[in-house]
Amino acid sequence: MAPTCPSSNTQSVDQSSFWDSGNTNWDAHRIGWAIAGGCAALTLIISCVSVLRHCRNYHKPSEQRQVLRILYLPPIYAIISFFSYRFFRSYTYYSLVESGWLPHSSNGLRLLLIEYVADTASGRDALKAMERKDKRSLPMPFCCWRYRPTKPYFMYTVKWSVLQYVIILPACSIAGIICEAFNVLCESAGYSIHYASVYLDVIDFISISIALYGLILFYGLTKEELAGRRPLAKFLAIKLIVMFTFYQSFVFSWLEGRVIHATEYWTETNIADGLNALAICIEMVFFSSFMMWAYTVNEYKIDGAPKTRIWRPLWDSINYKDFAVEIAGSLKFFVNSVRGKRSTHSGRRADAEFVNNHNKRMDFGQAFRVEGSTYPREPRKPTAGGGGESHAMRPRSSYDEEVRLAPYPIGSDPNLSDTPNQLGV
């Protein structure tokens, strides 16, 4: 017979209220309740101001829909943490629901960074930006291995390093809710192999580590393209939330039985969970303020442009069709890779359009209207003293002998035909 988890709640229930017999009944739990509620309300106000400002200046939907998804993170954490503090006997359910939102913000950050990088490339294609990158070492602790960003699989691998988190963590949350309903989750038992909590935590830890590593890899590769967009602040705004919420739960769990002791109405686990929820509510006030600065709306304001309606941005932020397209496209690539399609394995751009464009590239003289380019693309004719064609450049005695500026047709420009002297000649 499978073991069942002992209850983490006491049999006794506190029946008192804030006001008993006309007097205020403020014990430690109710003081924490008031602080958690006040901080959650303040976080909600700050985040609503940030969201509203982006909605009213919604001029780059591909970027700002991701920004809105990220800005939702502090208020969601604060509100759910307040309810998990208030209804502490159901803390596990609230914490599992709370953790399910984090992958959406992490993937939103990845898509936002890709949009930033695409802005620096021709045709707004992030893949073209990767063509400028050379082979380099992986970040710590795998720095002894090297990778080439121009490989076709690179961008898809980076995508899936975060996309897997979008799938795995909500699945772990659903599995945790089911296990808690059947009394086999047992977070209060620590890391016991007899209960589901340890296995779900291991999967969660591996998944979040891969997602963080993928974001760090992509940030390190594209930090030059991201200059001026506060990329480090945007990255830390999310990852510090992950670190604080993840590691402080271990700290409070370790304090159980050492510093934290049970009372008449609250077990050690109840108190540790309550302190964790209270800490999250307080922290989200600072994180919401930090996000207002890191994801500033000033990047998207256009002087003189009319204010946009708020409903379209809100709908875009909760419409996850782009996530589904990302997942489907990445799966298609990996299926083609397993089937052995050449385009998924070769590091070279094999498509004809790229090859033709490369061969038709203008030389220096054509690009800058200078005749006599020193970089000829056509082979030279055979010389009298040697056989075959030579591709070596002919040395020239002076710059002026070969380079002649093409005549500028001033008379053909109707705006300049009547005023030829404005060029200063």
Side-chain angles (χ1 to χ4, degrees):
M1 181 178 178
T4 57
C5 181
S7 176
S8 59
N9 298 314
T10 62
Q11 295 294 328
S12 302
V13 178
D14 186 7
Q15 301 293 338
S16 61
S17 62
F18 275 109
W19 294 273
D20 285 338
S21 303
N23 297 320
T24 305
N25 182 19
W26 287 88
D27 57 9
H29 176 66
R30 290 185 173 84
I31 292 174
W33 185 2
I35 294 174
C39 289
L42 183 57
T43 300
L44 182 62
I45 293 172
I46 296 173
S47 298
C48 283
V49 171
S50 299
V51 169
L52 182 61
R53 294 178 69 188
H54 276 280
C55 289
R56 296 292 284 162
N57 296 274
Y58 196 64
H59 302 299
K60 281 194 174 182
S62 60
E63 294 181 9
Q64 287 180 278
R65 72 187 302 183
Q66 312 302 340
V67 172
L68 292 176
R69 290 168 178 170
I70 296 170
L71 293 176
Y72 293 155
L73 186 61
I76 288 176
Y77 263 53
I79 292 172
I80 296 179
S81 294
F82 167 72
F83 282 108
S84 66
Y85 185 95
R86 171 64 183 86
F87 305 103
F88 61 90
R89 291 177 176 269
S90 301
Y91 174 88
T92 301
Y93 293 107
Y94 287 106
S95 64
L96 291 171
V97 172
E98 179 183 75
S99 62
W101 184 262
L102 182 59
H104 301 290
S105 296
S106 298
N107 195 50
L109 175 61
R110 179 188 64 82
L111 293 175
L112 179 62
L113 295 180
I114 290 177
E115 289 292 333
Y116 287 163
V117 173
D119 270 341
T120 67
S122 60
R124 298 200 76 256
D125 186 357
L127 294 176
K128 293 185 180 297
M130 294 299 102
E131 292 173 0
R132 304 191 293 257
K133 306 298 180 179
D134 297 324
K135 191 174 183 179
R136 60 188 66 199
S137 299
L138 287 168
M140 290 290 291
F142 305 109
C143 52
C144 54
W145 283 287
R146 294 167 64 83
Y147 70 98
R148 192 181 299 277
T150 54
K151 292 286 186 179
Y153 59 77
F154 173 76
M155 283 298 293
Y156 290 100
T157 303
V158 172
K159 286 180 181 180
W160 267 102
S161 68
V162 181
L163 283 175
Q164 55 83 23
Y165 190 44
V166 176
I167 299 172
I168 290 178
L169 189 58
C172 286
S173 298
I174 295 173
I177 292 173
I178 296 173
C179 291
E180 177 69 9
F182 285 94
N183 206 25
V184 294
L185 183 66
C186 204
E187 291 184 332
S188 60
Y191 291 106
S192 172
I193 62 173
H194 301 292
Y195 301 106
S197 177
V198 61
Y199 303 105
L200 293 178
D201 283 347
V202 168
I203 296 173
D204 184 14
F205 179 78
I206 295 174
S207 179
I208 194 174
S209 298
I210 294 174
L212 285 174
Y213 192 84
L215 287 173
I216 292 172
L217 173 64
F218 188 74
Y219 167 73
L221 179 66
T222 59
K223 58 184 177 182
E224 293 85 3
E225 287 81 4
L226 299 174
R229 307 301 294 267
R230 299 176 181 171
L232 183 59
K234 289 178 169 65
F235 181 81
L236 291 178
I238 293 180
K239 298 313 151 188
L240 287 178
I241 293 179
V242 176
M243 293 178 61
F244 272 79
T245 57
F246 189 79
Y247 290 109
Q248 75 188 12
S249 63
F250 286 104
V251 173
F252 289 122
S253 297
W254 183 83
L255 294 176
E256 291 181 28
R258 296 176 175 86
V259 178
I260 299 174
H261 301 285
T263 64
E264 180 182 0
Y265 300 114
W266 296 281
T267 64
E268 295 172 352
T269 301
N270 291 150
I271 297 174
D273 292 342
L275 290 174
N276 187 43
L278 177 60
I280 292 175
C281 289
I282 297 173
E283 291 160 1
M284 290 306 112
V285 175
F286 299 99
F287 280 118
S288 60
S289 302
F290 182 44
M291 282 190 175
M292 177 182 283
W293 174 80
Y295 297 90
T296 176
V297 72
N298 294 332
E299 296 181 8
Y300 305 103
K301 282 185 175 180
I302 300 176
D303 294 336
K307 297 298 182 181
T308 55
R309 296 179 179 271
I310 65 173
W311 305 116
R312 166 68 185 280
L314 293 177
W315 168 248
D316 284 348
S317 65
I318 61 175
N319 180 10
Y320 289 98
K321 181 181 178 180
D322 55 334
F323 281 20
V325 171
E326 286 276 328
I327 293 173
S330 300
L331 285 176
K332 180 181 179 180
F333 174 85
F334 287 116
V335 169
N336 291 336
S337 178
V338 172
R339 294 172 59 187
K341 285 198 173 183
R342 181 182 177 185
S343 60
T344 63
H345 295 281
S346 174
R348 299 178 180 177
R349 294 288 303 274
D351 53 286
E353 180 181 357
F354 177 83
V355 174
N356 291 335
N357 290 339
H358 179 76
N359 291 334
K360 294 177 181 178
R361 187 171 51 190
M362 292 189 297
D363 61 20
F364 182 87
Q366 292 171 334
F368 292 95
R369 295 182 57 83
V370 177
E371 298 176 344
S373 169
T374 61
Y375 299 94
R377 302 191 63 83
E378 297 295 332
R380 295 184 181 274
K381 295 181 179 180
T383 59
E389 297 179 350
S390 173
H391 292 273
M393 290 187 299
R394 175 175 56 86
R396 65 188 185 199
S397 57
S398 68
Y399 184 85
D400 295 329
E401 285 182 7
E402 288 227 8
V403 179
R404 300 188 305 276
L405 290 176
Y408 189 84
I410 297 179
S412 63
D413 192 336
N415 297 324
L416 300 178
S417 58
D418 296 332
T419 56
N421 292 329
Q422 65 179 327
L423 295 178
V425 294

